[in-house]
Amino acid sequence: MSKNIMIRPNPLKPGDKVAITAPSSPVSDEKLEMSVESIKFLGLEPVVMPSCHMSHGYLAGPDNQRAEDINAAFADDTIKGIFCLRGGYGTTRLLPLLDFEVIKNSPKVFIGYSDISALHFNINQKCGLITFHGPMPTTDYRVHEGFTNDSLRTCLFAPENLKTIGNPEGEDIITLREGFAKGTLVGGNLSLMAGTLGSPYEVDTKGKILFIEDVDEMPFRLDKMFTALALAGKFRDCEGIILGTFERCEEADHPSLSLHEIFEEVVLPWDKPTILNLRAGHIYPQSTLPMGAEVSFDAKDGIKNISVVY
C-alpha cells in the first residue's frame, strides 16, 4: 500500500486570482468568454493565459506555449489556482516540457478532467501534489448548481470538509468484486492511461486505488485499452478499482461484447475489490475527485460512498 505523504494545496478564497490555461484543444471566443464568467461565478478573479486565445489545428496553440502557460501559472505567486479550460487532445505532448520541480515547489489547486488526466497522474506522482478531477469552466459552472457545484466548491474552498465521495441521489454504486481497499487515488481517463504506457509518464498503480472512466469509445477499443493496462500490470499492482461512467460506449449495430462482459473477462480476474458507476468524468451531475488523496472503500452490497483521508 502506498505510504507517500501527499501535499494538499491551500484552499482557494473568494477574490483569489486563478489562471485559465488551455493544455489541450482550443475553444471559440464565445466559449472563452463564457469560461471567464464561469470563473467569476465562483467568486474568483480569472487570469487568461495566452494559449486560451490560440488555435493550432486540434491544439490550443503550439506545445511550448501550452506548457509554458502551466509552468508560468505555477511559478506565479499571485495565482492561487489553475483551471484547465477544456479537454480534447494534447496534454501528453506537454509532459516532457513541464517543469515538475517548479510545480512541486509551488503547490496550488489544479483542476480538469478527460485529457487532463495525464497531467493529474504525473503531477501526483512526480510532485506529490493532490489535484482535482472535476468540471472545467467551458461547461459553465452557472448551470451546474446543486450536486456538481457543491462537490466542486467543497474541494476548491473547503477540502477539510471532504470526508466522502458519493453519487447524486438515485445513482447507485455497484459492487462487481467484494472486498476492502485503501490507497492513493490515481488514474482518470482510460485512453490517456493507455496512451502513456511504456513511457516515463505512465500511471503507477502500485498499492493504489485505480479510477477509470471514458466516453464515446466502442467496446472493442475499450477492450483493447483495458487489456493494455492488464498486460502492463496495472490491475495486478493496484489495491482496488473504481470504474466510473462510460457514456455512449455501447455498440448496438454490430456483434459486440457488452461493457460488463469486458469487465468480467479483463478486469475482474485480477480479484481486486471493484466498484462501478462512480459518477465522475464525462457525466453530469458529477463528483470532483481529489486525485492523489488517500481513499478507501468497502465493496459490498449497498455501498454508498468512498472515504477520503487527507
Side-chain angles (χ1 to χ4, degrees):
M1 189 176 299
S2 174
K3 300 294 184 181
N4 293 336
I5 298 175
M6 302 293 288
I7 301 168
R8 184 174 71 184
N10 290 329
L12 296 176
K13 302 186 298 296
D16 277 349
K17 286 184 177 181
V18 297
I20 305 178
T21 65
S24 301
S25 295
V27 299
S28 65
D29 291 341
E30 292 75 17
K31 276 282 190 180
L32 179 56
E33 182 179 350
M34 184 192 73
S35 300
V36 167
E37 294 304 313
S38 190
I39 295 292
K40 290 179 179 178
F41 174 75
L42 296 180
L44 302 167
E45 181 181 342
V47 177
V48 180
M49 304 302 281
S51 59
C52 295
H53 298 286
M54 296 180 177
S55 180
H56 177 55
Y58 42 74
L59 303 169
D63 296 347
N64 60 349
Q65 182 64 64
R66 290 180 292 122
E68 174 55 27
D69 283 358
I70 295 174
N71 292 336
F74 271 102
D76 188 338
D77 291 338
T78 69
I79 290 176
K80 305 303 180 183
I82 300 165
F83 287 69
C84 296
L85 188 59
R86 61 159 295 183
Y89 172 73
T91 61
T92 51
R93 292 175 60 154
L94 306 185
L95 293 173
L97 304 176
L98 294 179
D99 191 333
F100 289 106
E101 197 62 28
V102 165
I103 296 171
K104 180 178 181 179
N105 292 326
S106 308
K108 55 189 68 176
V109 165
F110 180 86
I111 184 163
Y113 74 98
S114 191
D115 193 56
I116 312 305
S117 296
L119 302 182
H120 282 308
F121 56 78
N122 274 282
I123 292 174
N124 297 157
Q125 292 166 191
K126 297 180 184 300
C127 305
L129 174 63
I130 292 171
T131 59
F132 297 103
H133 180 286
M136 293 174 281
T138 47
T139 66
D140 196 349
Y141 300 138
R142 295 170 294 182
V143 305
H144 293 306
E145 280 297 88
F147 182 89
T148 298
N149 269 6
D150 288 347
S151 178
L152 174 67
R153 288 177 185 273
T154 297
C155 285
L156 299 186
F157 296 99
E160 68 278 3
N161 295 332
L162 182 65
K163 306 300 182 184
T164 61
I165 302 164
N167 274 354
E169 188 174 350
E171 290 288 350
D172 294 332
I173 296 174
I174 302 164
T175 295
L176 297 184
R177 178 75 79 235
E178 292 188 347
F180 178 81
K182 182 178 181 180
T184 301
L185 182 63
V186 298
N189 186 260
L190 174 60
S191 62
L192 269 294
M193 286 188 280
T196 55
L197 291 177
S199 78
Y201 305 100
E202 67 180 348
V203 66
D204 176 10
T205 66
K206 291 179 181 176
K208 299 176 182 176
I209 304 296
L210 178 57
F211 167 67
I212 308 172
E213 65 86 40
D214 218 317
V215 66
D216 289 329
E217 294 284 4
M218 291 295 98
F220 78 92
R221 287 182 54 84
L222 293 175
D223 188 326
K224 179 171 65 174
M225 293 184 286
F226 272 113
T227 298
L229 293 187
L231 293 173
K234 302 307 178 183
F235 300 134
R236 177 199 65 209
D237 293 344
C238 73
E239 293 292 318
I241 301 165
I242 300 172
L243 298 170
T245 57
F246 294 83
E247 287 296 295
R248 302 184 298 276
C249 288
E250 293 283 3
E251 189 169 26
D253 298 332
H254 303 281
S256 174
L257 295 177
S258 69
L259 292 179
H260 281 270
E261 286 175 313
I262 295 170
F263 299 151
E264 286 279 352
E265 296 176 14
V266 182
V267 179
L268 296 185
W270 296 95
D271 201 27
K272 299 299 173 75
T274 303
I275 56 177
L276 170 66
N277 197 43
L278 179 65
R279 308 299 279 187
H282 294 83
I283 189 74
Y284 286 93
Q286 67 165 267
S287 285
T288 297
L289 308 181
M291 307 306 292
E294 193 88 351
V295 302
S296 66
F297 65 89
D298 189 2
K300 59 185 178 182
D301 289 344
I303 178 175
K304 296 296 183 184
N305 53 52
I306 297 155
S307 297
V308 181
V309 184
Y310 277 112

